[in-house]
Amino acid sequence: MTGPIPALADRADRAAGRLADASHVLLVSHADADGLTSAAVGAAALDRAGIAHEVQFEDQLDESAIERVAAAREDVVWLTDFGSGQLDAMYAHLDPAATVVADHHQPLPPDAVPADAPTVDEYADAPYHVNPLLVGLDGARECSGAGSTYAIARALAERDEPEHLAPEHAIQPGSDPDPRNRDLAALAIVGAVGDRQREDGELVGANVAIAEEGETAGVLTTQTDLAVYGTQTKPLPQLLAHADEISVPGVATDRNAAARFLDGLELDLRADGEWRRWAELASDERQTVASELCQRAIQRGVPAERIDGMVGTAYTLAGEERATQLRDASEFATLLNATARYERSAVGLAVLLGDREDALDDATDLLDEHRRNLSRGVRWVEEHGVTTESHCQWFDAGNELPATIVGIVAGMAVGTDGVDPSTPIIAFAEDGDSLKVSARATGELVRRGVDLSEAMATAADAVDGSGGGHTVAAGATIPLQTIRAFVDVADDVLGRQLAD
């Protein structure tokens, strides 16, 4: 079997074979949008294959979490959206021959695992280890944790494809479950989008092949569209006024300015006196609005590259109701993050697996709370400001912001007054008896050499903490009272990266 990601096919097939032989699988996943979609893809595949399983979530896979996993496992453990950076603890506490890892984060170096353990070039490996970085793919851009999990799900179906799946196996209303698991591609794409893997407005690499399988299965559509968040649910003036992605002068000033712009287009953009949503417009109406936005941007001197960035690829879940937060991959990912950030990952998982009643109601309530907290967080950063170093900027929210959202707040604050988008930002917040660290950078900074995964891992190690992640977004957990030492090391690492 070649599968959607040929370079991962052999690894995915070996992992699927181990899962198929299991009497029970404990699926443990990261508590964020990519982790939740990974868990949903994995759980759906196991359910369709008739393999008994249980799902649990962890904010991070530290030593204590792995000890909990070891105590709870019955047969095979399946780690999704983490595990590659914790292979040392896996070898210490779990049976490598009964552990499957589907991840896309940076694996540990070879000297971190036992001498008889497999290795691949500069990476530690394991018997059942599926990670794009092991086969020359970029885990930060080309394949998410959900993508790695999807490769295994496809391989599992190809090993013993069921003749028929009952309607309850469907993951979108009104859709037919695919015996080859290609319908799970839609969930994997939500994970990739939620993990910020879009580049210049569209997914790249292995993610493209996954999206194509979703289109073949009839659960996903892709099309060129306005590259703004909220096209499904935000009324048009709100959509344009808050569109940081386009920020056209005279339109994105506030809702009133956006409404005046829309009223001048000679289009009927209201229904029953209420502003329509972008998703409710006909294609010719969208074309008119987009063209006028571009014309306004040109008149106001917006640089050509920013105008080009106003258009991207929209990833739409075809079976979901129009103008809802489940229809668009970006908005779906935000809903999932809302459940995960408030320790309700099971709610997000239930929505992913098809619950459109109680679970969706609970998730929507959590999303409302999440948005309020994010707005409060950005205001907090604007009011308190950031501390600027030679090569980074940072703020310490202490216990004034939830540690679970401080990274999102940091990303949203970039570009606001006093926060320089040309400098990496690091955020700190208290998390029990330790500090949660989150770092964010722009794609341009990554192209210039910034690797936040290395910076976080090196700085955390210097203060007896642990860290890692991706080039564009990474994090760490460090002891209290170590911020100054951590920042000094991170700033040095970033300075070296930018100088190379």
Side-chain angles (χ1 to χ4, degrees), residues 336-384:
L336 297 175
N337 272 324
T339 67
R341 302 302 177 185
Y342 303 98
E343 300 180 351
R344 301 286 302 280
S345 293
V347 171
L349 177 62
V351 174
L352 284 162
L353 293 177
D355 188 332
R356 298 296 179 267
E357 296 181 359
D358 291 346
L360 181 56
D361 289 342
D362 289 346
T364 302
D365 290 342
L366 289 165
L367 177 60
D368 291 340
E369 179 184 356
H370 186 52
R371 285 172 170 160
R372 289 192 295 270
N373 285 336
L374 291 178
S375 295
R376 182 171 64 86
V378 173
R379 287 196 303 272
W380 187 95
V381 176
E382 290 175 336
E383 292 169 2
H384 292 79

Side-chain angles (χ1 to χ4, degrees), residues 50-69:
I51 301 170
H53 63 280
E54 179 184 347
V55 180
Q56 71 181 55
F57 295 95
E58 296 287 349
D59 289 331
Q60 57 186 1
L61 199 62
D62 55 16
E63 193 89 6
S64 61
I66 288 185
E67 289 176 356
R68 287 194 297 272
V69 171

Side-chain angles (χ1 to χ4, degrees), residues 15-23 46 51 156 159:
R18 186 64 188 90
L19 293 169
D21 291 339
S23 60
L46 292 170
I51 301 170
L156 193 60
R159 292 182 68 85

Side-chain angles (χ1 to χ4, degrees), residues 91-447:
Y91 276 101
H93 298 285
L94 297 171
D95 178 4
T99 304
V100 174
V101 177
D103 197 5
H104 67 131
H105 296 94
Q106 197 86 5
L108 292 174
D111 61 5
V113 296
D116 59 347
T119 60
V120 176
D121 297 329
E122 72 269 35
Y123 296 131
D125 200 3
Y128 306 104
H129 188 191
V130 179
N131 185 317
L133 289 162
L134 298 171
V135 294
L137 301 178
D138 189 337
R141 298 170 50 253
E142 297 182 276
C143 181
S144 68
S148 294
T149 307
Y150 177 72
I152 297 175
R154 287 281 285 109
L156 193 60
E158 294 293 342
R159 292 182 68 85
D160 188 17
E161 181 180 324
E163 294 182 5
H164 175 73
L165 291 174
E168 57 263 28
H169 288 111
I171 50 89
Q172 285 187 28
S175 66
D176 294 324
D178 178 27
R180 298 176 64 188
N181 285 340
R182 292 172 301 178
D183 56 327
L184 303 182
L187 306 186
I189 292 303
V190 173
V193 170
D195 212 54
R196 302 176 64 196
Q197 295 210 342
R198 278 197 277 204
E199 186 172 280
D200 296 328
E202 62 183 1
L203 294 173
V204 299
N207 286 320
V208 175
I210 295 172
E212 289 173 350
E213 292 210 339
E215 291 185 279
T216 299
V219 294
L220 188 76
T221 63
T222 63
Q223 65 182 54
T224 301
D225 205 350
L226 200 64
V228 297
Y229 176 84
T231 55
Q232 293 290 329
T233 60
K234 290 183 179 182
L236 285 168
Q238 181 183 352
L239 176 74
L240 299 184
H242 298 161
D244 294 335
E245 302 92 338
I246 57 176
S247 191
V248 177
V251 177
T253 309
D254 55 43
R255 294 188 194 184
N256 290 332
R260 288 192 296 271
F261 165 77
L262 292 165
D263 279 335
L265 298 183
E266 299 183 356
L267 293 173
D268 186 6
L269 300 177
R270 290 181 175 87
D272 298 326
E274 299 292 332
W275 285 101
R276 295 158 67 192
R277 279 118 175 108
W278 182 263
E280 296 169 331
L281 302 184
S283 59
D284 59 333
E285 292 175 317
R286 294 187 194 186
Q287 182 62 46
T288 297
V289 176
S291 296
E292 291 297 326
L293 278 172
C294 289
Q295 287 300 318
R296 179 67 63 91
I298 293 169
Q299 293 167 5
R300 296 300 177 93
V302 175
E305 61 271 16
R306 280 185 55 194
I307 295 175
D308 290 341
M310 290 168 58
V311 175
T313 300
Y315 299 89
T316 304
L317 280 74
E320 302 296 344
E321 185 179 348
R322 190 181 301 275
T324 68
Q325 63 265 38
L326 303 186
R327 179 85 170 174
D328 174 72
S330 294
E331 296 191 62
F332 201 156
T334 299
L335 182 82
L336 297 175
N337 272 324
T339 67
R341 302 302 177 185
Y342 303 98
E343 300 180 351
R344 301 286 302 280
S345 293
V347 171
L349 177 62
V351 174
L352 284 162
L353 293 177
D355 188 332
R356 298 296 179 267
E357 296 181 359
D358 291 346
L360 181 56
D361 289 342
D362 289 346
T364 302
D365 290 342
L366 289 165
L367 177 60
D368 291 340
E369 179 184 356
H370 186 52
R371 285 172 170 160
R372 289 192 295 270
N373 285 336
L374 291 178
S375 295
R376 182 171 64 86
V378 173
R379 287 196 303 272
W380 187 95
V381 176
E382 290 175 336
E383 292 169 2
H384 292 79
V386 298
T387 300
T388 302
E389 307 292 338
S390 298
H391 308 290
C392 68
Q393 55 195 331
W394 60 275
F395 65 86
D396 176 18
N399 59 8
E400 296 193 45
L401 296 178
T404 53
I405 68 168
V406 71
I408 303 175
V409 170
M412 293 176 64
V414 171
T416 60
D417 289 344
V419 182
D420 183 2
S422 65
T423 303
I425 186 169
I426 304 173
F428 300 87
E430 293 180 11
D431 187 15
D433 58 358
S434 62
L435 285 171
K436 170 75 176 292
V437 189
S438 293
R440 298 290 186 269
T442 62
E444 175 59 28
L445 282 167
V446 171
R447 286 189 284 272

